[in-house]
Amino acid sequence: MSWHALIEVSRESEEPLTAQIEGRIREEISAGVLHPGTRLPSSRQLAEDVGVSRSVVVEAYGRLIAEGYLEAVRGSGTRVAHHLSAPALPTLLDDGLVPPARWDLRPELPRGAGFPHREWLACYQRALQAVDPGDLGYPPLSGADGLREELARYLGRARGVLTTAGQVMVVSGFAQALGLLCTVLSASGIDRIAMEDPCHHRQRQFIGEVGVRPVPVPVDDEGIDVEALAATGVRAVLVTPAHQFPTGATLSPARREALVRWARDTGAWVIEDDYDGDLWLEPGARPPALQRLAPDRVVYGGTASKSLAPGLRFGWLAAPAGLLAALERTRSHRDLGSDVLTQLAFAELLRCGHFDRHLRARRDHYRRRRACLEQAVHRFLPGARITGSAAGLHAYVRLPHRVDEAALVGRALERSVLVPGGRRYHARPEGAAPALVVGYTAVPRTGIAEAVRELGAAYAPKPAAAGAARCA
Ligand SMILES: Cc1ncc(COP(=O)(O)O)c(C=O)c1O
């Protein structure tokens, strides 16, 4: 293998060649150009590339190894030392900068584990075999016809969505859909959108980025407060009716009726974010999509981020026909459609029943994890309680009022437990009751009890309970 590195020397310089090579490599490592673990050329190769004798390079490498900049591993050559990867400063949960922790309880994290690799591969292969060369051109902006048909069937059957293939748009995740919707609404003169408070903090940012002002509306155990919503005078609202994010509340039947009535009476739009509707874990029937009550006023959005993997960047909308045309127009100004092979593979996954089977298995898996979390919270966090419906990948744990949420999150991190506090999701964090938003998918089941025991120790300065942390 012939590795190449951009290292030059100057014959005019009075500095010896060995020192020049040593200095260049050290500088590039310090500047971050040469990354930890980067493979460097062999001494023979570098000598040839630079035009010096091999002993010059051997000596330069030898010094850098002695100084700890490089490491030589028998059989795998010379590399920039791995230990030079300075750990990122732990800025707690700032997006993109995540402090290292043994137990990662962040809620947004469905892990790749559980992804139906074999079925996806089979479906992708079948899609690829069946693909017509014409299908590999730019896809229709709303998605491949075959997938839109499968999605319309699936959404009707599994979520009670009243739609047709022609009203479905395939998107690169709900985040993209939200950006498109806000742009379309803003072009029609809507400059404020009501949002549940608390809600997903990134969604507040996304909406703000397209120039629409988010208006917080409180949420209680029955979901969004529709009277408070009506009092804002807005003409659009974003809601998570099946499983409010993050509190877990399910919009009560009375509030569902009231929300739809408000939309009809005022001509307002409701954007329904059904982000984990596929993963209802309660014993009874899950509530059908709100969209079913008012398909002319509600835009339904779903995503594969919780059910399959967020890395797919895959989601869908079911929108009233007029709105869909406007969404397509807006989209045509900013992108050229979603990856067509992923679309065809997903259509196949739906068509042959693998998606339903996968969801059934995931629900069983998450039920067991959630039960484990419930036991652990009961045992190690006295006075705390999980609120809302059992669904999806996270639970909202309300803490007793005397608990200092920020201090608890900080102390938990010292014990290697990474968990966000509930206030992070509030538009007005100061007034919010203390809570934790606990994801149960990124740690093994056996780790949940251990992680919550650590939380318990951080919560009550003395360990809350003695003995081994084990999930019964
Ligand atoms: C409330 C909520 N909506 C939607 C999504 C999914 O967004 P996307 O489909 O862009 O991954 C998430 C993911 O974390 C979420 O928490």
Side-chain angles (χ1 to χ4, degrees):
M1 189 73 72
S2 158
W3 303 91
H4 178 72
L6 208 58
I7 294 164
E8 288 174 345
V9 293
S10 161
R11 303 270 162 198
E12 270 84 70
S13 166
E14 289 181 1
E15 194 182 12
L17 292 171
T18 302
Q20 285 192 44
I21 292 175
E22 184 191 343
R24 289 309 156 271
I25 294 177
R26 199 189 296 110
E27 277 163 26
E28 295 298 66
I29 292 174
S30 303
V33 174
L34 286 175
H35 298 227
T38 301
R39 179 91 184 241
L40 292 183
S42 68
S43 53
R44 191 187 308 280
Q45 183 69 54
L46 186 60
E48 199 181 308
D49 291 348
V50 178
V52 298
S53 79
R54 186 174 167 218
S55 61
V56 167
V57 179
V58 170
E59 192 183 341
Y61 274 8
R63 286 189 201 168
L64 288 164
I65 289 168
E67 290 165 17
Y69 282 95
L70 299 184
E71 57 197 20
V73 179
R74 192 182 293 276
S76 75
T78 307
R79 292 175 187 268
V80 178
H82 283 91
H83 70 83
L84 293 174
S85 47
L89 280 179
T91 305
L92 183 61
L93 295 177
D94 267 4
D95 294 321
L97 257 189
V98 177
R102 180 165 180 226
W103 306 120
D104 192 340
L105 302 180
R106 281 176 297 156
E108 297 93 351
L109 274 190
R111 279 286 155 97
F115 184 80
H117 285 85
R118 209 155 32 93
E119 292 78 4
W120 183 262
L121 192 61
C123 290
Y124 201 90
Q125 208 161 21
R126 277 206 291 278
L128 200 54
Q129 273 158 0
V131 82
D132 184 276
D135 293 338
L136 293 175
Y138 287 109
L141 269 182
S142 281
D145 293 344
L147 174 59
R148 293 171 81 195
E149 270 160 33
E150 287 300 332
L151 272 172
R153 279 188 207 125
Y154 170 75
L155 294 175
R157 161 170 75 74
R159 300 295 298 117
V161 175
L162 181 60
T163 192
T164 61
Q167 290 172 268
V168 168
M169 175 180 262
V170 178
V171 287
S172 302
F174 185 73
Q176 185 192 38
L178 190 57
L180 285 171
L181 275 163
C182 288
T183 308
V184 167
L185 295 181
S186 158
S188 72
I190 293 179
D191 58 358
R192 299 184 307 146
I193 292 188
M195 300 192 68
E196 296 165 326
D197 186 22
C199 69
H200 200 299
H201 59 301
R202 304 279 312 262
Q203 292 185 337
R204 243 189 326 260
Q205 284 167 7
F206 291 156
I207 285 181
E209 279 301 314
V210 291
V212 176
R213 189 153 65 84
V215 178
V217 175
V219 160
D220 60 22
D221 290 347
E222 288 187 68
I224 192 164
D225 178 340
V226 182
E227 272 182 31
L229 167 68
T232 63
V234 297
R235 286 162 55 212
V237 62
L238 170 63
V239 282
T240 46
H243 189 225
Q244 204 278 326
F245 188 89
T247 66
T250 296
L251 195 65
S252 67
R255 293 266 178 98
R256 281 164 70 95
E257 294 287 344
L259 183 56
V260 163
R261 210 175 318 115
W262 165 80
R264 288 237 161 88
D265 290 351
T266 60
W269 292 107
V270 178
I271 304 171
E272 175 175 17
D273 174 8
D274 195 26
Y275 65 104
D276 63 3
D278 300 316
L279 296 168
W280 184 252
L281 311 178
E282 296 271 338
R286 63 189 160 188
L290 181 76
Q291 187 265 7
R292 180 73 182 83
L293 297 181
D296 52 332
R297 303 294 343 146
V298 181
V299 185
Y300 174 90
T303 176
S305 287
K306 304 288 183 189
S307 53
L308 284 171
L312 284 177
R313 304 312 304 132
F314 200 75
W316 45 87
L317 283 180
L323 199 57
L324 194 92
L327 286 165
E328 277 193 343
R329 260 194 316 281
T330 300
R331 189 168 183 181
S332 71
H333 298 151
R334 49 175 81 168
D335 83 55
L336 299 173
S338 301
D339 166 10
V340 79
L341 284 175
T342 302
Q343 293 189 52
L344 298 176
F346 190 62
E348 190 61 28
L349 202 73
L350 286 169
R351 190 176 303 122
C352 66
H354 283 324
F355 189 58
D356 285 68
R357 265 197 296 284
H358 163 73
L359 289 177
R360 190 159 295 131
R362 283 289 91 193
R363 285 193 290 265
D364 288 346
H365 180 79
Y366 293 142
R367 264 185 210 112
R368 289 194 292 274
R369 280 176 174 237
R370 195 171 165 108
C372 200
L373 178 70
E374 282 166 5
Q375 279 178 24
V377 166
H378 181 70
R379 181 167 176 205
F380 297 115
L381 301 179
R385 68 185 171 92
I386 295 181
T387 65
S389 305
L393 315 179
H394 79 276
Y396 194 74
V397 181
R398 271 193 211 284
L399 303 168
H401 279 281
R402 62 181 165 76
V403 174
D404 178 341
E405 182 192 292
L408 172 60
V409 168
R411 281 200 301 268
L413 192 58
E414 285 164 15
R415 294 179 162 268
S416 218
V417 180
L418 181 57
V419 63
R423 288 191 178 137
R424 162 170 219 250
Y425 301 95
H426 281 263
R428 302 182 195 100
E430 323 75 44
L436 296 174
V437 185
V438 181
Y440 39 79
T441 60
V443 292
R445 189 152 72 100
T446 48
I448 292 177
E450 218 176 299
V452 178
R453 186 182 58 180
E454 290 301 326
L455 273 177
Y459 171 80
K462 291 200 183 89
R470 207 173 301 121
C471 180

